Amino acid sequence: MASQLWAKLIPANAAFEIRESPGKGFGAFATKKIAARSCILRERPLFVIVMPWEVVGNDNVVDAYRSLGPQEQQIFQAMIAYETEKNGSEFRFPEYATMLRNKFSQPPCYEAMCVISSRLNHACLPNAACPIDEEADSGENISVAMFALRDIAEGEEITFNYNEDWAYMSTHIRRAAMRWAFECSCPVCHPNNPLQPISNMRRALLRGLRCLAYGEDLPPCAYLECPVTLRAMGPSPGGRNPRNWGMWYSLAGYIAEAEGLPELSLKMFERGFFHMQTAVGANLLEAHEWRTVAQWGEKSLEIGRTLPPECRSQASLVATQLSIMETLFYDPPVDNIERFAGMIQGAKLVEETQNAIRDFLFR
Ligand SMILES: [Zn+2]
């Protein structure tokens, strides 16, 4: 029954089908080769609940359901039947339980009930991505879109990462974090994977570097043990030296790239670039150091070119800042950092920014 429902709802030109995925319920499988960076699916949610900064409860889901037309209500009822069957027993709050298992949310803005996208399974090294729609914060015109991170072969299951936090966890911590939802059987989590120790080491390092750069660990949870690196080093040593930010972010970027997580790698290089570029602008670095900073900006653009445009919303800003830096520092070479910062932010704002950063770094 359920597969008939999805067969009816999937667009006619879709390059995938939804069928059973062993051990995971249903999953999406490519019916032909899908090229890297292409859009696999763009879905309008069945309904969207917009309650910024509030917790969505059962009553809200029931209200949203009641406001649907008869056809949409039928689809939601079919989803409830599918989830109930999968669960093996009746839910106490069937509408809410179904929403919980099929929603795409962008905290704190909205929760969207998606019928098709929610069939895609998780993988710790996914072949697709579901970037956040930066424009959609009002709840109207929200669409959930999936893009190929690399070429996907015919017959291959299409997967994406459900939770960025999991990228920073080694296998046993990840398993504990996921246990409320499912047991991941992707190749990275498979016990016979000979590369698992390397993957675990990379992810533990990523978590440590993230903690140093952000100044805080992942959100606290009972299953999160403190990695050895953090216990030994304490929180954010050297956090007031902008050169350290650059080092942590760029190391994290290279490690994420080696692990096969281009989205995360891009994010790290971009964050490193923007932090360091602010430090150059605020006169906290030597003028000649702009070249190192520029390298990270260029590296982020290089990784971005391998990703779908929707996954690299910061690329044009990075390119603009790079060209400003080049104009000021390279051709012709000048050492007036104030002028560079002034061009970007306006003189008064620069002074305030410099003072704020100095207060923060050297208080
Ligand atoms: Zn996995």
Side-chain angles (χ1 to χ4, degrees):
M1 279 302 287
S3 56
Q4 285 169 10
L5 168 73
W6 290 307
K8 259 190 278 176
L9 295 173
I10 293 174
N13 60 351
F16 66 92
E17 62 180 350
I18 290 174
R19 58 177 159 88
E20 286 206 56
S21 179
K24 301 185 220 168
F26 282 79
F29 293 83
T31 49
K32 52 188 162 191
K33 187 189 157 188
I34 300 173
R37 295 186 293 280
S38 56
C39 180
I40 301 167
L41 166 72
R42 194 178 287 279
E43 179 183 13
R44 290 296 300 270
L46 196 61
F47 57 82
V48 179
I49 299 177
V50 184
M51 290 173 53
W53 306 107
E54 286 181 71
V55 177
V56 172
N58 182 57
D59 291 350
N60 309 114
V61 183
V62 173
D63 286 348
Y65 164 69
R66 286 187 183 139
S67 68
L68 295 174
Q71 212 180 344
E72 283 80 20
Q73 284 196 348
Q74 243 179 27
I75 295 172
F76 194 53
Q77 283 300 334
M79 292 296 289
I80 292 176
Y82 165 68
E83 292 296 350
T84 307
E85 192 190 327
K86 204 170 145 193
N87 192 49
S89 63
E90 294 287 325
F91 293 111
R92 190 159 168 222
F93 300 108
E95 290 87 355
Y96 183 68
T98 302
M99 178 79 180
L100 206 62
R101 287 160 174 75
N102 295 278
K103 70 176 181 182
F104 282 70
S105 50
Q106 188 182 337
C109 302
Y110 65 79
E111 297 197 351
M113 166 73 201
C114 290
V115 180
I116 303 172
S117 311
S118 55
R119 296 283 62 76
L120 270 68
N121 285 309
H122 164 87
C124 299
L125 276 185
N127 54 19
C130 178
I132 286 173
D133 187 350
E134 306 274 356
E135 308 297 315
D137 54 0
S138 67
E140 289 164 21
N141 302 320
I142 289 170
S143 67
V144 169
M146 294 284 171
F147 298 89
L149 288 175
R150 57 167 171 78
D151 288 344
I152 300 174
E154 184 182 340
E156 194 180 342
E157 180 162 11
I158 304 165
T159 54
F160 73 105
N161 184 6
Y162 283 8
N163 186 336
E164 190 193 286
D165 287 355
W166 296 346
Y168 301 100
M169 297 175 187
S170 50
T171 324
H172 74 285
I173 300 177
R174 210 163 54 229
R175 198 173 295 132
M178 290 170 171
R179 95 192 135 204
W180 61 270
F182 57 89
E183 194 168 331
C184 188
S185 57
C186 83
V188 190
C189 294
H190 199 279
N192 293 340
N193 176 5
L195 297 177
Q196 201 171 79
I198 295 174
S199 169
N200 283 341
M201 195 173 69
R202 286 193 194 120
R203 286 170 192 253
L205 271 170
L206 272 174
R207 180 169 159 209
L209 289 164
R210 177 197 177 281
C211 181
L212 291 169
Y214 285 37
E216 60 183 23
D217 197 5
L218 296 170
C221 290
Y223 52 77
L224 276 181
E225 302 156 19
C226 196
V228 175
T229 45
L230 298 189
R231 269 204 300 271
M233 295 169 80
S236 238
R240 293 176 187 177
N241 184 339
R243 289 176 190 86
N244 288 348
W245 293 341
M247 183 180 69
W248 295 329
Y249 276 122
S250 57
L251 265 175
Y254 284 115
I255 292 170
E257 187 185 24
E259 178 67 1
L261 299 167
E263 272 186 299
L264 189 60
S265 174
L266 173 69
K267 181 174 169 174
M268 290 297 157
F269 280 114
E270 276 178 351
R271 287 189 77 130
F273 173 69
F274 286 129
H275 269 66
M276 297 298 284
Q277 185 240 2
T278 310
V280 173
N283 221 353
L284 294 167
L285 296 177
E286 302 293 326
H288 65 85
E289 289 181 278
W290 78 269
R291 284 172 209 278
T292 312
V293 179
Q295 272 174 18
W296 293 324
E298 278 152 13
K299 180 70 185 170
S300 81
L301 293 180
E302 180 197 316
I303 294 169
R305 280 191 284 273
T306 70
L307 291 170
E310 287 77 2
C311 293
R312 46 179 151 106
S313 56
Q314 303 291 313
S316 62
L317 186 57
V318 173
T320 307
Q321 306 290 33
L322 275 173
S323 66
I324 292 173
M325 289 173 88
E326 270 176 32
T327 309
L328 282 169
F329 293 115
Y330 190 69
D331 185 25
V334 289
D335 54 9
N336 187 349
I337 296 174
E338 300 285 343
R339 198 178 130 214
F340 158 67
M343 267 182 72
I344 301 171
Q345 294 165 323
K348 176 119 178 49
L349 190 61
V350 168
E351 199 184 317
E352 285 167 12
T353 310
Q354 282 180 359
N355 291 340
I357 292 176
R358 283 209 183 92
D359 286 351
F360 174 73
L361 293 173
F362 304 117
R363 71 191 159 198

